[in-house]
Amino acid sequence: MPDLIAPHGGRLNDLYLQGTELEDERTRARDYPSWDMSPRQLCDSELLLNGAFSPLSGFLGKDDYERVCTDMRLGDGTLWPMPITLDVSEAFADGLEPGQSIALRDLEGVLRATLEISDIWTPDRELEGERVYGTRDLKHPAVDYLVNRSNPVYIGGKLKGIDAPVHYDFKHLRDTPAEMRARFKKLGWRKIVAFQTRNPMHRAHQELTFRAAREVEANLLIHPVVGLTKPGDIDHFTRVRCYEQLLDHYPEQTTALSLLPLAMRMGGPREALWHALIRKNYGCTHFIVGRDHAGPGNDSNDEPFYGHYDAQDLLVEHQDEIGIEMVPFKMMVYVQDRAQFVPADEVREGEVVMNISGTEFRRRLQEGLEIPPWFSYPEVIKELRRTHPPRHKQGFTLFFTGLSGSGKSTIANAVMVKLMEMGDRQVTLLDGDVVRKNLSSELGFSKEHRDLNILRIGFVASEITKNGGVAICAPIAPYARTRAQVRELITAGGGFVEVHVATPLEVCEERDRKGLYAKARAGIIKEFTGISDPYEVPESPELRVDTVGVTPDQAAHRVIVKLESLGYIR
Ligand code: PPS
């Protein structure tokens, strides 16, 4: 059947077992060592198993991995730009051997697939970052993931699918590649242009996708990513409701919407190639690529990681081999006199052009300001406002950090009382000592225990914040990396305001309210922050307060003013 030909002429994979084969493997898997997959591995395995990553039939083995990293090809020469690897802990890998099988489970422990091991190796993950993403800079989300989050050992091997993951949300919008192809066939769509997105779509996007489809005389597939996108992106529940609203504004029968559970890497040019291969597998003939496709933002020197058009250039080079045609994404602007969006290069002299940048749009959303209907349909804005209310209605975490005796608890208490006096917020105080009594009573002060303590506080604060409350935390939190992790966790669902209580060590020691510094100096208390243990000073907190010569009331007032200026209270 020609419609099941995947890129490079290969077949579209469906790795799920059926009938007795399935039951036999399920029985055998009871004795296999079990690995609980991470959210990224869950996304990857879903797309491996349903054929979206054809021709791959499992997680990459070592030879394929090496060649993918160096020249974007599998061992047999087939184009494949992204290493799809199964990273596991040393403890899990210990004792495993090629030829053995392992069970892959989801977060609830349900068996999703088994993998017959072909290779086990310890990669150089920083080198992988450099080869694949062209950098070792941790500002690149994929490099950060590789270095700080992924596990140290890789296992390669073929997959056997047991149970496909169940998605309880937007079931009517989830299609496997085979289902999507069948749908196109049924509709009689022969040319399909796919649009990839991880953001809400506004009128400019609608216009550019519509024009792209018209230009190549194709139907349009809006194919947003709902797996893992860039930290800080708008959640997929909100986005999908927005896409559904937008769909009504396309001419009937021209456009389809389907969700792609992909874990993006923000890999720029290589990622564009990967996206195109995936869309080819879903049966698309054309793919829209814009400026900075799947771009990771700027590096540590505030320079872009990739050139604006690198992704387009790389895809054009390989489009024939993939068998999909790139449609360049045009920058659209609104021409007031024509009451219409047009490509920027078609604006006539003297015409008044209007545009709202992404940053300006987010600001208006955050501050509850007007967003004009020429920019986005009111139904779309209404959906966005439901889950992204203005800042003064959002939850937030106020995170005090500083040395013992710096005054964190005193200021935190004063701020709490002031917020309660205002009356329209539910406030929870997670003070260092209180947390250690209740949440973390078994923990000591090693780096490992301190980190665990802070991550627990972060977890509780993120739940409070997500649900619209205010969490005030006041631990020492001496490590920058852990504070950053907490920030990331919390900003996914609301605000995060870091206050460094920067009272100098000499002053804290002189005050020595609890007599702990004396004990630390005498060596009675070990690993004491500032004396025999580190405190990494925050580089760019939202606010820094030194309590020398300042009353607690004045310090708390500064915090309140900061919260007002950030828009969290008014
Ligand atoms: S941490 O590092 O963030 O987990 O620390 P935290 O949970 O805030 O706990 C700090 C309080 O514990 C007391 N204490 C110590 N602090 C630092 N180092 C050592 N070794 C230590 N041992 C006990 C101290 O009273 C801290 O309270 P604060 O309010 O900060 O003075």
Side-chain angles (χ1 to χ4, degrees):
M1 284 207 315
D3 63 330
L4 282 183
I5 298 295
H8 332 296
R11 289 226 150 241
L12 189 61
N13 287 327
D14 174 354
L15 304 178
Y16 286 101
L17 297 177
Q18 307 284 342
T20 50
E21 263 193 328
L22 170 63
E23 288 323 310
D24 292 349
E25 184 65 4
R26 205 195 283 282
T27 309
R28 281 192 294 270
R30 288 191 197 131
D31 299 325
Y32 295 167
S34 266
W35 175 253
D36 294 339
M37 290 185 281
S38 66
R40 178 189 281 191
Q41 293 167 352
L42 279 165
C43 289
D44 286 352
S45 63
E46 179 172 358
L47 296 187
L48 282 166
L49 291 165
N50 75 12
F53 287 174
S54 298
L56 303 194
S57 56
F59 286 100
L60 292 187
K62 190 164 187 296
D63 291 346
D64 283 335
Y65 163 79
E66 290 292 342
R67 192 139 181 231
V68 166
C69 288
T70 48
D71 42 307
M72 303 200 303
R73 289 183 185 276
L74 301 172
D76 66 3
T78 307
L79 184 70
W80 188 267
M82 201 53 80
I84 307 297
T85 50
L86 182 70
D87 56 297
V88 301
S89 63
E90 276 166 346
F92 180 74
D94 194 30
L96 291 180
E97 279 177 22
Q100 232 181 309
S101 288
I102 57 171
L104 299 178
R105 297 180 186 276
D106 68 12
L107 301 172
E108 276 100 48
V110 179
L111 178 65
R112 294 283 164 218
T114 63
L115 177 143
E116 192 180 329
I117 303 174
S118 62
D119 306 81
I120 306 175
W121 77 104
T122 303
D124 180 337
R125 286 175 286 155
E126 281 192 43
L127 182 63
E128 177 180 331
E130 191 170 318
R131 285 164 158 181
V132 177
Y133 306 108
T135 179
R136 291 180 183 238
D137 190 333
L138 295 178
K139 278 276 292 281
H140 193 301
V143 177
D144 179 55
Y145 186 93
L146 269 173
V147 175
N148 292 315
R149 297 198 196 180
S150 70
N151 291 292
V153 182
Y154 285 0
I155 293 184
K158 280 199 176 1
L159 283 173
K160 290 178 183 155
I162 305 291
D163 265 329
V166 182
H167 295 286
Y168 297 102
D169 58 336
F170 306 112
K171 276 177 184 293
H172 60 294
L173 296 175
R174 296 191 182 259
D175 305 278
T176 64
E179 285 166 348
M180 199 77 236
R181 284 164 173 241
R183 199 164 134 198
F184 292 152
K185 197 169 175 190
K186 195 168 170 190
L187 291 168
W189 292 7
R190 298 174 56 81
K191 283 166 92 179
I192 301 105
V193 57
F195 181 64
Q196 136 86 33
T197 181
R198 40 168 266 265
N199 286 311
M201 288 173 70
H202 304 298
R203 294 187 74 153
H205 301 101
Q206 187 206 7
E207 189 60 38
L208 87 86
T209 49
F210 183 60
R211 275 174 183 258
R214 208 171 46 193
E215 210 172 279
V216 295
E217 295 174 355
N219 288 94
L220 173 68
L221 172 66
I222 301 175
H223 210 199
V225 173
V226 296
L228 300 173
T229 62
K230 204 174 162 190
D233 280 350
I234 289 186
D235 66 279
H236 82 265
F237 298 104
T238 306
R239 283 191 288 120
V240 176
R241 287 197 299 270
C242 292
Y243 305 136
E244 286 191 304
Q245 296 289 355
L246 191 78
L247 203 59
D248 292 342
H249 292 274
Y250 285 92
E252 231 173 287
Q253 315 288 335
T254 59
T255 305
L257 170 65
S258 185
L259 312 183
L260 180 67
L262 175 74
M264 289 181 71
R265 275 48 167 183
M266 309 315 300
R270 276 197 188 226
E271 181 129 355
L273 232 56
W274 187 39
H275 288 177
L277 276 159
I278 295 167
R279 270 43 181 241
K280 170 74 187 179
N281 283 328
Y282 274 89
C284 301
T285 52
H286 294 73
F287 183 53
I288 301 174
V289 178
R291 216 175 95 127
D292 295 326
H293 187 95
N298 284 358
D299 65 14
S300 303
N301 300 318
D302 215 20
E303 299 288 335
F305 280 102
Y306 310 113
H308 289 326
Y309 298 99
D310 288 2
Q312 290 189 348
D313 294 346
L314 193 70
L315 184 51
V316 166
E317 217 179 287
H318 294 95
Q319 60 180 2
D320 290 345
E321 193 176 353
I322 298 172
I324 198 163
E325 197 177 310
M326 187 186 81
V327 183
F329 174 122
K330 295 206 168 104
M331 172 76 188
M332 305 296 291
V333 289
Y334 187 75
V335 176
Q336 201 176 19
D337 299 341
R338 289 197 251 170
Q340 201 185 12
F341 276 95
V342 298
D345 56 6
E346 287 177 23
V347 176
R348 298 181 204 127
E349 228 186 284
E351 280 184 329
V352 179
V353 156
M354 309 215 290
N355 198 9
I356 294 182
S357 69
T359 316
E360 173 62 11
F361 173 72
R362 280 190 291 277
R363 186 185 78 86
R364 291 189 185 199
L365 200 59
Q366 266 168 12
E367 296 180 18
L369 301 174
E370 197 228 338
I371 296 165
W374 64 260
F375 180 78
S376 197
Y377 289 109
E379 308 92 280
V380 171
I381 296 301
K382 197 170 151 204
E383 285 298 342
L384 285 169
R385 290 209 200 275
R386 273 173 63 193
T387 45
H388 293 73
R391 268 193 173 165
H392 68 274
K393 288 194 177 151
Q394 273 177 32
F396 67 89
T397 290
L398 190 54
F399 193 92
F400 291 92
T401 165
L403 296 170
S404 172
S406 56
K408 304 181 296 290
S409 308
T410 314
I411 307 172
N413 266 296
V415 171
M416 178 177 72
V417 170
K418 284 178 191 288
L419 287 174
M420 296 194 30
E421 183 190 353
M422 292 175 189
D424 52 358
R425 293 292 195 148
Q426 300 293 329
V427 190
T428 306
L429 180 63
L430 297 164
D431 191 28
D433 278 340
V434 176
V435 169
R436 281 201 172 260
K437 235 177 248 144
N438 296 287
L439 268 184
S440 298
S441 55
E442 86 286 19
L443 299 182
F445 289 88
S446 63
K447 172 162 193 321
E448 197 192 352
H449 277 192
R450 286 180 196 262
D451 282 350
L452 202 53
N453 181 38
I454 298 308
L455 291 176
R456 284 180 189 172
I457 294 175
F459 173 73
V460 176
S462 73
E463 289 296 311
I464 293 169
T465 302
K466 190 169 78 186
N467 291 311
V470 176
I472 305 183
C473 314
I476 295 178
Y479 297 107
R481 165 104 206 112
T482 326
R483 292 192 299 258
Q485 265 174 281
V486 169
R487 179 187 285 269
E488 191 183 317
L489 186 69
I490 291 172
T491 44
F496 185 82
V497 180
E498 187 178 27
V499 181
H500 175 212
V501 184
T503 313
L505 177 65
E506 313 78 71
V507 179
C508 299
E509 191 167 0
E510 201 182 292
R511 289 179 188 161
D512 204 9
R513 296 233 166 82
K514 301 180 188 166
L516 297 176
Y517 280 95
K519 284 192 186 148
R521 287 281 181 207
I524 301 165
I525 303 181
K526 307 268 184 282
E527 299 175 314
F528 195 81
T529 308
I531 306 295
S532 43
D533 221 47
Y535 179 80
E536 297 170 5
V537 173
E539 274 177 22
S540 42
E542 275 70 14
L543 181 67
R544 215 184 288 280
V545 193
D546 182 344
T547 60
V548 178
V550 176
T551 66
D553 195 33
Q554 287 166 330
H557 185 67
R558 280 195 61 198
V559 176
I560 295 288
V561 169
K562 187 74 203 177
L563 290 175
E564 274 168 0
S565 77
L566 291 171
Y568 288 112
I569 53 177
R570 58 176 195 185

